[in-house]
Amino acid sequence: METELSKKLGVEHAIFGFTPFPAVAAAITRAGGFGVLGAVRYTAPDELARDLDWMTEHTDGKPYGLDVVMPAKKVEGVTEADVEAMIPAEHRRYVEETLAKHGVPELAEGEASGWRITGWMEEVARNQLDVAFGHPIKLLANALGSPPADVIARARDHGVLVAALAGSAKHARHHAEAGIDIVVAQGYEAGGHTGEIASMVLVPEVVDAVHPLPVLAAGGIGSGEQIAAGLALGAQGAWLGSIWLTTEEADLHSRALTAKLLAAGSGDTVRSRALTGKPARQLRTEWTDAWDDPNGPGTLPMPLQGLLVAEAVSRIQKYEIGPLLGTPVGQIVGRMTSERSVQAVFDDLTRGFERAVDRINRIAGRSDRS
């Protein structure tokens, strides 16, 4: 599964694995792929530094990358407290009413609300970059499009390639014009923030739009056959995220959530603004239904929604409130039916890729295999 891009990065297989878990990212790299650690949940620079130190020690000298959530346009002088003050009281009441309806307990007095979506903020993201460029990362990916020009220049100075996610050919062209190195064409099927164009249509459109820049196929990919399809459409690799959520190395902190993922079918996800304010594919739950209810107040724009629901999500996860419990995940969840090691997933991907290539070779009359 070598391509020009994978050779450039020094990896055996052109499989790029995005994950919020350092152990998973490191295992992907050790298996011959390229592990990419998601930084959005890190609010303290020392926590990110600790985990990047750990990854450096557990990747056997092989390359890995970091994914940040950073807006292209800088907003000066806006603090988290300023944003919190913009949240309407009506929305805060709706959160509490929904939690009360399902009997969700309060957090203990003085207990922090846990993960908050603050990586979008200029100060937080730049602090993450200060940490990242002090480690041997080989790729910086941005989930909110092209990073600011000075960040791209800084990455170049450190010999780090820059990737940006795109949900349309138009977005991809903007990335190319901004000077990024790799475009991740993320289709509608993907988990998390995603657009409205399916991968089979999107990937070749983006390949044509940004040629000769390398493109990674993303969205709904969880088998070697799908990776082969992405390469056949012109991509130089595949970007996989959801498939790693049920690996043994993943740390969801919830057996109930893992069980829900393993039981879910490909039709059990929904694109909802409930988590961040932007459309993000996730498990459909009574929580997402509540925010799509026309009788409710509706979601707030990003980043207000993320700050609004941060404590609620922490409470739902801590107490494992089944009807409300969910997570961002793509439609590939229907293939995630058992807990396996990252290496086992990799072995399955490579075998599936070989099967697909053999099949095409037989169709083209280029193989002696029966």
Side-chain angles (χ1 to χ4, degrees):
M1 253 187 284
E2 282 188 335
T3 65
E4 182 180 343
L5 178 60
S6 68
K7 292 176 182 178
K8 182 176 183 178
L9 286 168
V11 295
E12 182 181 359
H13 300 297
I15 297 175
F16 294 74
F18 165 79
T19 173
F21 307 116
V24 176
I28 291 168
T29 287
R30 290 197 307 271
F34 192 99
V36 181
L37 179 65
V40 70
R41 67 194 185 102
Y42 292 94
T43 56
D46 59 335
E47 293 176 354
L48 178 60
R50 176 201 63 203
D51 283 355
L52 289 179
D53 285 341
W54 185 92
M55 283 192 62
T56 301
E57 295 171 3
H58 291 82
T59 46
D60 300 335
K62 297 178 180 179
Y64 65 88
L66 188 72
D67 179 278
V68 298
V69 179
M70 189 174 193
K73 295 181 180 179
K74 185 174 182 178
V75 179
E76 299 281 1
V78 177
T79 67
E80 185 176 332
D82 294 331
V83 178
E84 288 268 15
M86 301 177 189
I87 298 174
E90 176 190 14
H91 284 75
R92 294 191 184 279
R93 285 195 300 270
Y94 189 69
V95 168
E96 290 306 319
E97 289 169 359
T98 304
L99 295 177
K101 176 182 176 181
H102 292 273
V104 183
E106 299 273 359
L107 295 175
E109 185 175 353
E111 183 177 357
S113 62
W115 175 69
R116 293 169 67 82
I117 303 172
T118 56
W120 61 271
M121 296 180 68
E122 182 81 9
E123 180 181 357
V124 174
R126 288 189 177 275
N127 286 340
Q128 291 172 347
L129 295 178
D130 290 340
V131 171
F133 288 132
H135 292 78
I137 66 169
K138 298 300 181 184
L139 176 71
L140 176 68
N142 190 30
L144 284 184
S146 306
D150 68 295
V151 172
I152 296 175
R154 189 177 178 191
R156 290 251 164 77
D157 290 342
H158 285 82
V160 176
L161 296 181
V162 179
L165 275 65
S168 71
K170 178 181 178 180
H171 293 158
R173 282 190 287 268
H174 287 164
H175 298 338
E177 292 166 1
I180 60 93
D181 303 293
I182 302 166
V183 175
V184 182
Q186 180 172 272
Y188 171 85
E189 308 95 325
H193 295 135
T194 184
E196 299 180 350
I197 304 174
S199 300
M200 186 63 71
V201 174
L202 179 67
V203 172
E205 285 188 351
V206 171
V207 169
D208 290 343
V210 302
H211 179 78
L213 284 183
V215 172
L216 299 179
I221 299 177
S223 72
E225 288 85 352
Q226 291 171 307
I227 295 173
L231 298 188
L233 293 172
Q236 288 201 30
W239 177 277
L240 284 67
S242 297
I243 196 70
W244 314 111
L245 287 174
T246 53
T247 56
E248 293 169 356
E249 293 88 346
D251 188 13
L252 288 176
H253 299 294
S254 172
R255 295 304 304 170
L257 180 54
T258 298
K260 287 190 75 170
L261 289 170
L262 296 174
S266 56
D268 292 328
T269 68
V270 63
R271 283 175 76 244
S272 170
R273 298 177 184 269
L275 185 61
T276 69
K278 291 186 66 176
R281 186 170 296 284
Q282 54 202 281
L283 280 179
R284 181 176 181 177
T285 66
E286 292 189 28
W287 178 254
T288 61
D289 287 347
W291 287 103
D292 291 333
D293 188 340
N295 295 319
T299 56
L300 297 170
M302 188 180 191
L304 299 180
Q305 182 72 15
L307 293 173
L308 168 68
V309 304
E311 181 177 327
V313 171
S314 293
R315 289 163 61 183
I316 291 166
Q317 292 176 345
K318 176 179 179 178
Y319 299 110
E320 298 190 325
I321 309 300
L324 304 179
L325 190 62
T327 185
V329 69
Q331 292 180 328
I332 197 63
V333 70
R335 292 183 64 96
M336 296 155 52
T337 57
S338 64
E339 290 185 77
R340 298 177 293 167
S341 68
V342 167
Q343 184 64 60
V345 172
F346 237 88
D347 291 343
D348 186 55
L349 292 172
T350 54
R351 285 192 296 266
F353 180 83
E354 290 171 354
R355 286 193 300 268
V357 171
D358 285 347
R359 186 179 303 123
I360 295 301
N361 281 337
R362 286 197 299 272
I363 292 171
R366 296 172 183 165
S367 174
D368 294 331
R369 297 188 187 186
S370 57

